[in-house]
Amino acid sequence: MMASHETRPPVGGESRTIRVEGAEIGSEASFFLVDTDPGRGSLLHKHPYAETWIVRSGQVAFTVGDETVLAAAGDIVVGPAETPHRFENIGDGPLKMVCIHPRPTIEQTNIAPA
């Protein structure tokens, strides 16, 4: 059986990032299609599984545990399970990337900043 997920363009002030839960479309994987402006990113958080990021365009700084990893278009970065991480668009234009979660639903624990 094939399933599809219809997206719509954001309206005034909404995020351009799209979240897709695999369970909603009959898939074992979930993902975010990130499209964010310079200086924007995610909160510090963790997952019970590894997360894989594929950078499509722009420049991004990932904080994964105690490390900072700089990445650009074409780079792939993996954050280990249970490791606090976040990302920030450090470029001059939009950051576009795919954030892959290998589960039918996204399981995330946000961590308060220190």
Side-chain angles (χ1 to χ4, degrees):
M1 179 173 99
M2 187 175 98
S4 66
H5 178 78
E6 187 174 322
T7 60
R8 62 173 180 76
V11 291
E14 286 185 351
S15 171
R16 295 183 311 272
T17 293
I18 298 169
R19 175 183 177 139
V20 177
E21 297 271 351
E24 296 174 1
I25 59 170
S27 176
E28 294 297 315
S30 300
F31 56 90
F32 287 94
L33 296 177
V34 172
D35 181 354
T36 194
D37 293 322
R40 307 276 320 248
S42 67
L43 297 173
L44 187 66
H45 62 279
K46 65 180 182 174
H47 311 283
Y49 47 78
E51 181 175 4
T52 302
W53 301 285
I54 302 170
V55 183
R56 296 176 51 227
S57 65
Q59 297 176 325
V60 58
F62 293 99
T63 301
V64 182
D66 295 331
E67 294 182 59
T68 299
V69 177
L70 302 180
D75 290 340
I76 298 172
V77 177
V78 178
E82 297 298 342
T83 304
H85 59 272
R86 67 176 306 276
F87 69 85
E88 182 178 350
N89 179 350
I90 59 170
D92 294 331
L95 168 66
K96 295 185 180 191
M97 65 181 179
V98 180
C99 307
I100 302 169
H101 296 250
R103 295 279 171 38
T105 58
I106 295 170
E107 301 172 40
Q108 179 169 309
T109 302
N110 290 334
I111 300 168

